[in-house]
Amino acid sequence: MEARFLGIPELTDVPVVAVVVDVMRAYTVAAWAFARGAERVVLAESLEDALALKARHPAWVTLKDGSPAPGFDLVNSPALLRNTDLSGRTVVQKTTAGTVGALAVKDASLVLCASFVVAEATAGLLRERACERVTFVVTGEGGRAEEDLACAQYIARRAGGDAVDAGPYLRRAGASRSADELRQGVREGSTPEDVALCLELDRFSFAMAAAVEDSLMVLRQVTWTDSPSA
Ligand SMILES: O=C(O)[C@H](CS(=O)(=O)O)OP(=O)(O)O
Ligand SMILES: [Mg+2]
């Protein structure tokens, strides 16, 4: 498998297969939303779009990064989300990096959204579909976020079939600027537990695929054939 690793500003073409990586915290949060029963996650273009969707669908659950805000039900924190029952709910998510990255590749044939909690499931799906060329979108810090790059490189190696020690990749992520900011509470809407939850390798056995449905970018769970739960 041929892999390239690009930041959002470096995306100049439409990839065939894209893996959008946001470890801290969008795609750790989305995975927890599915684990707590959410049916789908709508990736919103803007805060205004998220609020407009909520106005049209009052039962949908709105989630944003940063501090809590009127009209939004949840913040982008896995620690806060994991105690929330989302059975059958549609979640609308808007964050600074993760959701923007997925929308930037929405015309790709396959868009997977990933983090360490769904790393093996994501790699397994890429192996199963025999993807030859994969663009990893490193969403944080214009492509330089160490937690996203480490996770992307780990998934790429697993997708290529390598036996890989995850330890060094997780340590890079744990030493990243994002991890430091979350630990120190610099980022609003976070708890100190968020970092550990973002570094739980393969916490979930499903992958997450996004596609345009009725003009919305919708993220859903996908299982791959060799998944333990398939
Ligand atoms: O919620 C997060 O951790 C970040 C917020 S920011 O990029 O630090 O402002 O958003 P995400 O899109 O999940 O990286
Ligand atoms: Mg991030």
Side-chain angles (χ1 to χ4, degrees):
M1 194 198 77
E2 189 183 307
R4 61 177 181 166
F5 303 90
L6 299 178
I8 297 169
E10 296 165 327
L11 290 164
T12 53
D13 56 17
V14 178
V16 177
V17 178
V19 178
V20 186
V21 180
D22 194 334
V23 172
M24 298 179 190
R25 295 164 288 174
Y27 296 131
T28 301
V29 164
W32 270 102
F34 289 122
R36 297 300 296 134
E39 184 188 325
R40 58 185 186 159
V41 176
V42 175
L43 305 174
E45 298 263 3
S46 65
L47 296 174
E48 294 71 27
D49 283 1
L51 291 173
L53 287 167
K54 177 81 174 177
R56 286 210 298 280
H57 308 279
W60 290 11
V61 178
T62 41
L63 183 160
K64 70 180 277 295
D65 61 0
S67 52
F72 286 87
D73 303 299
L74 298 169
V75 290
N76 196 38
S77 160
L80 296 173
L81 198 77
R82 71 176 166 161
N83 297 317
T84 305
D85 181 7
L86 294 169
S87 300
R89 307 294 291 275
T90 294
V91 174
V92 180
Q93 185 182 31
K94 169 71 180 89
T95 73
T96 304
T99 58
V100 175
L103 288 160
V105 291
K106 67 180 177 187
D107 294 324
S109 302
L110 176 64
V111 179
L112 301 178
C113 294
S115 60
F116 280 113
V117 295
V118 294
E120 188 57 29
T122 306
L125 201 64
L126 294 171
R127 288 196 302 269
E128 181 178 277
R129 303 210 179 170
C131 298
E132 289 179 5
R133 272 181 284 281
V134 178
T135 298
F136 287 85
V137 183
V138 177
T139 60
E141 299 171 34
R144 289 181 303 282
E146 191 63 3
E147 74 281 10
D148 296 334
L149 184 59
C151 183
Q153 290 171 339
Y154 175 74
I155 292 171
R157 289 198 59 195
R158 290 295 302 133
D162 293 351
V164 192
D165 174 8
Y169 296 90
L170 291 166
R171 281 194 287 280
R172 281 168 58 194
S176 65
R177 180 205 304 217
S178 297
D180 276 349
E181 288 180 359
L182 288 171
R183 279 192 203 98
Q184 291 165 21
V186 173
R187 291 191 188 185
E188 292 176 288
S190 64
T191 80
E193 281 182 281
D194 278 349
V195 175
L197 288 169
C198 291
L199 298 179
E200 279 192 309
L201 184 69
D202 301 332
R203 177 72 175 74
F204 305 116
S205 58
F206 54 82
M208 301 186 293
V212 177
E213 298 179 20
D214 296 330
S215 77
L216 297 176
M217 189 65 164
V218 177
L219 186 63
R220 293 183 184 272
Q221 288 184 84
V222 223
T223 49
W224 96 98
T225 313
D226 291 335
S227 156
S229 61

